[in-house]
Amino acid sequence: YALMGSGKRVRPILCLASSEAVCSDRQAALAVACALEMIHTYSLIHDDLPAMDDDDFRRGKPASHRVFGENIAILAGDGLLNMAYETMLSAPLCAEKPLQALAAMRVISERAGVRGMIAGQTLDVKLEGSRPQGELVAYIHRHKTADLIAAPVLAGLLLAGAGEEQLQAGQRYGESLGLAFQMVDDLLDITGDAQAMGKRTGMDAARGKMTWPAVFGAEQTRRDAGQAVSQAGEALAVFGPSG
């Protein structure tokens, strides 16, 4: 219900595209790309729970806990996270290129874990209702969102055997893109159409969330998002015209 919905599949696409930027054969990245979508979907299921953001809709349909109950939604999220690692570990690529596969899995684990996405989510929850501060909102965005945008890029590059310069460029690209992604998401919560987005708008302000517009205002957020997109594009220069 949650995994096969109408999501944008940004993370698996980034993983496959990053792999193709170095090696034309993306077969080795397919299992990891699927696993990344599982991890992202699990995070959304848990994010929508009443104890977290208490959202009733996701991707244009009722959130998982509204359909199946909170207990099953929690278990579905737990199951997807574990299935992601099962998928990566059981894929043939682990036997063919074990060191590259393990490096990719480590990057994903770190950026989805307690020093990555979960760290950002934790601060996001704990600071609800607090006075917005630039340093804190940057930390939240960098980990809550950008870490799980950079992870697919780095994983795809590692699986393709990318060199250190390419990996550093991929990290800059993913982190800049992730920051822009969250800034725009914050803006859409203010100005977006709930029906088009498939979820309620205006919820960040209602919950007292630490967002970029809350700190810097909507106009500055637009400018900062544009700058982050430009920085992401500049990072790709190392891959040449085809990158």
Side-chain angles (χ1 to χ4, degrees):
Y1 179 82
L3 185 64
M4 304 306 289
S6 58
K8 297 181 284 294
R9 308 286 189 265
V10 170
R11 289 150 192 85
I13 289 169
L14 283 172
C15 181
L16 296 175
S18 299
S19 180
E20 286 183 336
V22 177
C23 174
S24 59
D25 182 12
R26 66 181 186 184
Q27 189 64 35
L30 282 173
V32 172
C34 292
L36 282 158
E37 186 67 12
M38 293 176 195
I39 292 171
H40 177 56
T41 303
Y42 116 77
S43 75
L44 298 180
I45 293 173
H46 283 186
D47 202 39
D48 290 338
L49 289 166
M52 296 288 283
D53 283 351
D54 194 18
D55 277 322
D56 291 336
F57 291 93
R58 174 65 67 178
R59 293 172 171 173
K61 60 183 183 180
S64 293
H65 70 274
R66 298 295 297 168
V67 178
F68 304 104
E70 289 180 44
N71 51 2
I72 296 300
I74 291 169
L75 292 169
D78 295 344
L80 279 170
L81 177 59
N82 283 279
M83 187 179 288
Y85 289 101
E86 288 178 29
T87 301
M88 288 189 284
L89 284 167
S90 63
L93 63 89
C94 288
E96 294 171 11
K97 299 176 182 178
L99 294 181
Q100 291 174 204
L102 287 171
M105 287 183 65
R106 179 171 180 172
V107 163
I108 292 167
S109 300
E110 289 174 347
R111 290 186 177 255
V114 295
R115 290 183 295 275
M117 179 183 69
I118 292 174
Q121 288 278 41
T122 300
L123 207 59
D124 185 48
V125 170
K126 293 290 287 183
L127 293 179
E128 283 186 6
S130 301
R131 181 175 64 84
Q133 298 178 51
E135 255 185 54
L136 291 175
V137 77
Y139 180 94
I140 292 169
H141 282 20
R142 197 161 55 246
H143 293 293
K144 184 181 81 167
T145 303
D147 270 340
L148 212 61
I149 296 288
V153 176
L154 290 169
L157 291 173
L158 285 164
L159 289 165
E164 186 59 32
E165 186 183 12
Q166 292 172 320
L167 289 170
Q168 289 178 8
Q171 179 166 320
R172 290 195 302 274
Y173 170 77
E175 290 177 351
S176 297
L177 184 65
L179 287 172
F181 191 98
Q182 186 59 55
M183 289 175 197
V184 171
D185 193 64
D186 287 352
L187 281 172
L188 288 173
D189 189 69
I190 300 171
T191 63
D193 178 79
Q195 187 171 0
M197 293 174 65
K199 61 180 181 179
R200 290 183 295 176
T201 56
M203 300 309 296
D204 288 343
R207 298 189 189 103
K209 288 282 190 182
M210 192 86 64
T211 67
W212 209 271
V215 177
F216 301 106
E219 286 307 314
Q220 184 61 46
T221 299
R222 289 189 181 91
R223 288 192 290 271
D224 290 344
Q227 183 179 5
V229 169
S230 296
Q231 289 170 345
E234 289 165 6
L236 295 177
V238 69
F239 296 98
S242 60

